[in-house]
Amino acid sequence: MLTLQTIKADPEFVIKRLAVKGFDGKEVINKILDIDAERRRLQQKTDSDASELKKLSSSIGSLMKEGKTAEAAEAKQKVADIKGNTKALQDHLAECETKMRDLLLTVPNLPCAAVPEGLTAEDNVVEKTGGVIPDLPEDALPHWDLARKYNIIDFEMGVKVTGAGFPFYVGKGARLQRALIQFFLDEAWHAGYTEVEPPFVVNEASGYGTGQLPDKEGQMYHVNLDNLYLIPTAEVPVTNMYRDVILTESELPKKNCAYSPCWRREAGSYGKDVRGLNRLHQFDKVEIVRIERPEDSYAALEEMKDHVQGLLEKLGLPWHILRLCGGDMSFTSAITFDFEVWSAAQKRWLEVSSVSNFETYQANRLKCRYKGADKKMHLCHTLNGSALALPRIMAALLENNQTPEGIVIPECLRKYCGFDIID
């Protein structure tokens, strides 16, 4: 969440930047400032009363020794009155703190200066393009037909056993899925990321720490009995490793990668764009997460973008990078770049990765800090990216590499899956 200091330093700037995300922040920012003024008034009163209480308490003994019993009695009454008011003041102060935090949790992160204005995906900016779009015949099959033809993904069985959006990967389909996961993990390892295997469910505090709560609770699967959430991405448990942690400057950066299944309800999704692997409720993904010093985080962001680009180039997929406009960004992000690959049979771009810098927004929620060379505490910057999400990568690989003889496997995957063609 935004720091109170950021809001107080320039409220009009904050309101203006929030508008880039399509968020009207004037009312909530003014409420936060009003509550902060009341909180400071109460704190001053509490501090003043504490000082007065200390003086009165120390004077009572002296007054008694001097035989000034009336004055001592009066001092005792004042002490009793102050103590009687102290709890009410403390309760009111605690109420202000709670209201303040609840309001701060509703305010999105500020988009950085490089974020283009706009409210929809049509306003996103194409940053970079690479790869060659394959020239397939008009009767090229979409991946859901290829999956049936080669018996590698069973969507109907998934509906029977669980429901729509939960496919079975079968035979060479399952091996190709596992090959992609191992390839992505190995590439992250070679790039200096430490692999972790996190829990696949998290508690409520973790959801709040990375910003899924209270913004996206409707999209998360909730285990009611235990009040746990199935993770929508490995970002959540991996970033929460650093919740309530104070790092030393020499420990930074922290670079972690993790494979996990991911669960998203995708409420409200419908239409042709949800066919096959285009939009699932359960899918596999490798995530990269970084904890950085603020002055290093944008260089780290470029490294992460280069890493994802390298994966797509090795897979031989046509790709482009989008710099998202304010209205198409997530609640928590300061800037986001989406990677999309070309789906040759569907003739459309499919998102396969988002790489984001959250600056101090998540770190402030997490209380993720480091002690600098100046001996002061500083909030870290957090970043994460998909490297990569599997379903649409699989869709594009199947469609783009189809031939009359079968589906050709990219060279970089063959040592992992043990075959070079699906026939």
Side-chain angles (χ1 to χ4, degrees):
M1 60 188 173
L2 297 181
T3 64
L4 184 58
Q5 291 85 347
T6 298
I7 294 172
K8 290 171 66 176
D10 195 341
E12 291 305 316
F13 172 79
V14 170
I15 293 168
K16 183 178 179 181
R17 293 310 297 165
L18 288 173
V20 175
K21 278 193 171 182
F23 183 85
D24 185 355
K26 186 173 183 179
E27 183 178 353
V28 67
I29 295 303
N30 286 336
K31 282 183 179 178
I32 287 170
L33 294 174
D34 289 344
I35 291 172
D36 179 58
E38 175 66 2
R39 182 189 62 81
R40 283 186 287 112
R41 185 190 69 80
L42 290 168
Q43 188 63 61
Q44 288 170 359
K45 176 62 174 168
T46 300
D47 293 343
S48 174
D49 283 357
S51 177
E52 181 67 13
L53 189 63
K54 185 177 180 180
K55 289 178 183 178
L56 287 169
S57 297
S58 64
S59 70
I60 291 172
S62 299
L63 291 170
M64 292 294 290
K65 286 180 183 178
E66 295 170 10
K68 298 178 180 179
T69 55
E71 290 88 338
E74 183 180 350
K76 287 180 180 179
Q77 184 58 51
K78 287 181 179 179
V79 167
D81 292 342
I82 291 172
K83 286 183 175 179
N85 290 331
T86 296
K87 187 176 187 311
L89 278 172
Q90 290 174 340
D91 288 346
H92 195 180
L93 188 59
E95 184 182 342
C96 283
E97 296 283 2
T98 300
K99 285 181 179 178
M100 175 76 74
R101 180 171 175 80
D102 288 347
L103 284 173
L104 286 171
L105 287 172
T106 68
V107 180
N109 197 2
L110 302 184
C112 78
V115 172
E117 294 192 10
L119 297 177
T120 68
E122 285 69 35
D123 300 311
N124 296 334
V125 176
V126 177
E127 287 266 313
K128 197 175 181 183
T129 300
V132 178
I133 294 177
D135 184 19
L136 295 184
E138 283 298 317
D139 60 351
L141 297 177
H143 68 271
W144 50 85
D145 288 337
L146 292 168
R148 185 181 298 106
K149 177 180 178 180
Y150 294 106
N151 190 30
I152 52 176
I153 307 172
D154 194 330
F155 294 103
E156 291 75 15
M157 184 63 71
V159 172
K160 172 187 173 182
V161 172
T162 306
F166 296 90
F168 274 75
Y169 296 87
V170 180
K172 288 186 175 180
R175 292 184 66 85
L176 180 56
Q177 183 87 344
R178 182 155 48 86
L180 282 165
I181 293 167
Q182 192 60 59
F183 170 63
F184 295 152
L185 285 173
D186 282 356
E187 290 294 301
W189 180 268
H190 294 320
Y193 291 87
T194 299
E195 183 178 347
V196 298
E197 184 174 331
F200 299 154
V201 293
V202 293
N203 57 30
E204 196 170 62
S206 294
Y208 276 94
T210 43
Q212 279 68 35
L213 299 175
D215 181 48
K216 294 184 177 66
E217 60 264 53
Q219 294 292 346
M220 298 174 73
Y221 283 95
H222 186 210
V223 184
N224 293 312
L225 184 62
D226 303 295
N227 195 28
L228 297 174
Y229 293 85
L230 277 66
I231 61 171
T233 164
E235 165 206 344
V236 182
V238 175
T239 310
N240 269 279
M241 290 166 60
Y242 303 98
R243 174 156 48 90
D244 298 320
V245 170
I246 297 174
L247 300 163
T248 61
E249 192 166 4
S250 62
E251 291 180 282
L252 295 174
K254 291 289 188 181
K255 298 172 60 176
N256 293 306
C257 68
Y259 155 73
S260 78
C262 306
W263 292 269
R264 299 180 187 178
R265 294 186 62 245
E266 298 289 2
S269 299
Y270 59 92
K272 65 178 181 179
D273 293 347
V274 305
R275 288 201 67 179
L277 297 172
N278 287 344
R279 194 171 296 276
L280 300 179
H281 295 304
Q282 179 183 321
F283 60 94
D284 292 319
K285 181 156 68 79
V286 171
E287 190 81 357
I288 51 176
V289 175
R290 294 178 69 147
I291 312 294
E292 296 277 352
R293 297 189 311 162
E295 56 265 41
D296 298 331
S297 72
Y298 277 89
L301 181 66
E302 292 304 310
E303 286 182 20
M304 294 169 74
K305 288 165 58 184
D306 289 345
H307 178 75
V308 174
Q309 178 182 320
L311 296 177
L312 297 177
E313 289 173 342
K314 288 179 180 179
L315 290 171
L317 292 171
W319 54 269
H320 66 202
I321 306 173
L322 300 175
R323 180 158 44 104
L324 298 194
C325 69
D328 201 32
M329 287 168 58
S330 75
F331 186 87
T332 52
S333 173
I335 189 167
T336 294
F337 294 88
D338 274 4
F339 286 74
E340 296 183 332
V341 296
W342 180 251
S343 169
Q346 298 178 75
K347 294 182 169 55
R348 56 188 292 258
W349 291 97
L350 304 176
E351 180 196 332
V352 295
S353 174
S354 286
V355 180
S356 300
N357 190 344
F358 301 90
E359 296 187 353
T360 61
Y361 191 85
Q362 287 182 330
N364 191 33
R365 288 177 175 233
L366 294 159
K367 290 184 170 48
C368 173
R369 296 163 290 171
Y370 73 96
K371 190 172 184 179
D374 58 5
K375 307 301 181 184
K376 295 180 181 179
M377 293 297 178
H378 303 272
L379 286 172
C380 300
H381 277 198
T382 65
L383 305 92
N384 67 56
S386 312
L388 287 158
L390 271 71
R392 295 170 190 159
I393 288 289
M394 175 80 87
L397 286 177
L398 297 179
E399 293 182 12
N400 295 7
N401 295 317
Q402 59 183 296
T403 70
E405 291 74 33
I407 299 165
V408 178
I409 304 301
E411 182 66 36
C412 63
L413 298 178
R414 294 177 186 178
K415 67 178 181 179
Y416 294 108
C417 62
F419 52 87
D420 54 17
I421 192 166
I422 297 175
D423 53 17

